Amino acid sequence: MMKRTSTILALIWFAVVALACNLSSPPPPTVVPSLTDTPQPTIAVATSVPPTQPQQAAVNVPSASADVRSLLAQVDSDRLMIHVDALERMVTRHVNSPDNGTTGVAAAYRYVRRQFEEISSQSAGRFSVIDHTFTLEWEGVTTSQKNVVGYLQGDAIGGGVIVLAAHYDSITRNPADAIYNAPGANDDGSGMAALIEIGRILARRPHHASIMLVAFAAEEIGRAGSIEFVKWLRDRNVTVDSMINMDIIGSQTGPNGEIDANHLRLFSAGPEDSLSRQLARSIYWIDFNVSPEMQILVQDAEDRQGRYGDHMSFSDAGFPAVRFIESLEDTVRQHTPQDVIGDVQASYLLRSTQAILAAMTILADGLPPPQNIVLRDNGTPKRTLVWEPVPGASGYLIGLRAPGSNIINNQFPWPSNSVDWEGFTPSQLAAVVISTIDSNGMMGPPSREYVIR
């Protein structure tokens, strides 16, 4: 097993190599930007839209292409609910729960491992499965816990590493009680169901980026599983470019009967310009363009007050990381026998899963973002934004973030790697991001933010 693990990690490391090419700056086009507003920010207040709303640039505007739509259509709500039901039936998944064959955390591990192995068997050799085992001491009991890791090797040099994760353990309000009912259907059976289903779909085809799908153990007791896993990665010099945590994503109902079927919250560590917050804004922008049915609410916090999730283990280590969670959270049910499948809505979990799959698809498969973005003063009110051209690009999508905003507020397509515009000023913009558009009109992952000064 160690030999196999070393081989996989070596492949990850060689995949994380930066792209390099020559900076090119052709004369700017004569057309000027035509802005498109994205929805209003959910936390911060946007300033006014930058000036000038002229003619459309001649470029294929990104859309939810047939390829992306086809992938999202493969998400099966019945499969999702089968996984939630299977995990709930294990009574409790407490880290110290006894192994009774079909109940307890060991049974949950075996279920997840079988699902990953089935995905592997249908992946034409693309999907490898390993266990990351660690020793845990909790409430005077020493156990061996296992994170289950599925790995898809990317085919692009410099494609990066993306981690998609959920946790399979559960707990009661009494953290020491290893036998009381803790069905954990929503927390986090919903996230686990999405992880397995997204893995099934992603494993059917190659990807530019390397993808690790991780089912974490021991999240409920201080995120012990993800902390140990991050140590394991760092000991092997593996860099994670994006980590997406799915934890409680299955219910549209709140504690007082409220219903919100159209939103997911997205948490990330600040400050405003941190890599994690930039990742959250990038995912918001991606889903706005390719999967608008579920709207993303970018939160100005790492998690809910006094709460935590496995994404924090990654952001603590300096890796960009975010957490998806439903918009209306019924804390009365959490960590009690009432967290059952009856409060997991198949339609909501389906659309949550599709929104996350859409973001994963763009991050893992889109053309790489431009590098070496610079803004040049011309001695006139207009300034020139220029970047390295990306091979295979049919154009670019430029996203604009207003000062004080948590989201990308406006965007415009552009046909080349240089644009003159009077709107590139710090009074109007905090930062810009750029995505490459391919020949099918699909956007790629956004660049890191270029701060306007």
Side-chain angles (χ1 to χ4, degrees):
M1 180 63 72
M2 286 300 298
K3 181 177 179 181
R4 184 182 183 188
T5 302
S6 298
T7 300
I8 291 171
L9 287 167
L11 290 172
I12 298 175
W13 177 243
F14 283 119
V16 188
V17 179
L19 291 174
C21 56
N22 294 325
L23 181 65
S24 176
S25 178
T30 56
V31 290
V32 284
S34 177
L35 300 176
T36 301
D37 291 354
T38 67
Q40 288 301 303
T42 59
I43 300 295
V45 177
T47 59
S48 60
V49 174
T52 312
Q53 300 262 346
Q55 68 192 74
Q56 178 67 55
V59 62
N60 190 5
V61 179
S63 62
S65 68
D67 289 344
V68 175
R69 286 294 181 188
S70 175
L71 285 175
L72 302 188
Q74 293 176 34
V75 179
D76 189 322
S77 61
D78 288 342
R79 286 179 181 270
L80 290 168
M81 297 303 283
I82 286 171
H83 296 316
V84 174
D85 179 67
L87 292 168
E88 177 191 333
R89 287 175 181 273
M90 292 166 190
V91 183
T92 179
R93 306 189 298 276
H94 189 284
V95 291
N96 290 343
S97 54
D99 184 357
N100 294 323
T102 58
T103 64
V105 72
Y109 156 75
R110 289 191 292 269
Y111 180 82
V112 174
R113 175 80 194 210
R114 283 197 305 270
Q115 298 305 313
F116 276 30
E117 287 173 347
E118 182 177 344
I119 293 170
S120 179
S121 70
Q122 299 174 10
S123 70
R126 282 185 290 268
F127 192 78
S128 302
V129 186
I130 61 172
D131 290 339
H132 168 238
T133 304
F134 60 97
T135 300
L136 177 70
E137 293 185 7
W138 181 250
E139 296 294 334
V141 179
T142 300
T143 59
S144 179
Q145 301 289 327
K146 296 177 180 179
N147 297 321
V148 187
V149 183
Y151 177 68
L152 286 160
Q153 170 67 46
D155 60 13
I157 295 176
V161 177
I162 303 171
V163 173
L164 181 67
H167 71 88
Y168 68 85
D169 63 313
S170 66
I171 204 167
T172 71
R173 295 282 172 85
N174 177 6
D177 193 333
I179 60 174
Y180 192 65
N181 284 10
N186 199 20
D187 182 14
D188 187 27
S190 60
M192 279 304 309
L195 182 70
I196 295 167
E197 182 67 356
I198 291 174
R200 180 182 70 86
I201 295 168
L202 292 179
R204 292 177 172 178
R205 58 195 177 84
H207 304 277
H208 297 327
S210 295
I211 301 171
M212 304 181 79
L213 296 105
V214 188
F216 284 121
E219 186 273 347
E220 296 287 12
I221 55 166
R223 50 188 169 88
S226 57
I227 288 173
E228 291 296 325
F229 185 71
V230 168
K231 290 178 182 176
W232 187 70
L233 292 176
R234 297 192 77 178
D235 286 346
R236 291 155 178 81
N237 295 320
V238 176
T239 297
V240 174
D241 296 86
S242 303
M243 187 276 183
I244 298 174
N245 181 29
M246 302 176 292
D247 196 347
I248 314 178
I249 62 167
S251 179
Q252 64 191 28
T253 60
N256 299 312
E258 312 99 318
I259 296 176
D260 184 351
N262 301 313
H263 296 91
L264 273 172
R265 286 181 293 168
L266 190 60
F267 285 91
S268 59
E272 183 179 88
D273 61 351
S274 72
L275 293 180
S276 291
R277 188 61 50 78
Q278 289 188 50
L279 175 61
R281 283 196 286 267
S282 292
I283 291 173
Y284 161 85
W285 193 38
I286 290 168
D287 275 357
F288 166 76
N289 278 287
V290 304
S291 183
E293 292 81 3
M294 184 66 85
Q295 297 176 34
I296 307 303
L297 305 178
V298 177
Q299 307 294 295
D300 187 16
E302 188 171 17
D303 211 316
R304 301 98 75 221
Q305 186 172 5
R307 305 294 293 274
Y308 61 81
D310 286 318
H311 62 298
M312 296 169 69
S313 303
F314 287 78
S315 54
D316 286 351
F319 300 138
V322 298
R323 177 202 180 138
F324 276 104
I325 184 172
E326 61 204 25
S327 63
L328 298 179
E329 183 182 3
D330 190 350
T331 57
V332 174
R333 293 176 178 268
Q334 290 173 7
H335 303 166
T336 74
Q338 283 71 54
D339 185 3
V340 294
I341 198 169
D343 195 45
V344 175
Q345 291 82 44
S347 61
Y348 184 85
L349 180 55
L350 171 70
R351 288 182 297 111
S352 296
T353 304
Q354 288 175 325
I356 297 166
L357 174 59
M360 285 291 296
T361 298
I362 299 303
L363 291 173
D365 297 337
L367 288 177
Q371 302 294 317
N372 294 331
I373 302 169
V374 295
L375 186 60
R376 297 171 178 167
D377 289 319
N378 299 324
T380 70
K382 291 185 177 181
R383 305 174 80 187
T384 300
L385 190 72
V386 63
W387 56 92
E388 292 181 2
V390 177
S394 67
Y396 303 90
L397 186 67
I398 300 176
L400 312 174
R401 180 167 68 86
S405 176
N406 264 350
I407 64 168
I408 306 301
N409 307 92
N410 302 277
Q411 63 185 35
F412 62 87
W414 202 249
S416 73
N417 67 310
S418 177
V419 54
D420 283 351
W421 192 33
E422 69 274 14
F424 294 129
T425 63
S427 63
Q428 297 288 343
L429 296 176
V432 300
V433 294
I434 307 175
S435 284
T436 307
I437 303 174
D438 69 15
S439 59
N440 293 320
M442 188 175 81
M443 69 187 296
S447 66
R448 289 190 178 179
E449 290 189 345
Y450 180 86
V451 177
I452 303 297
R453 294 185 172 89

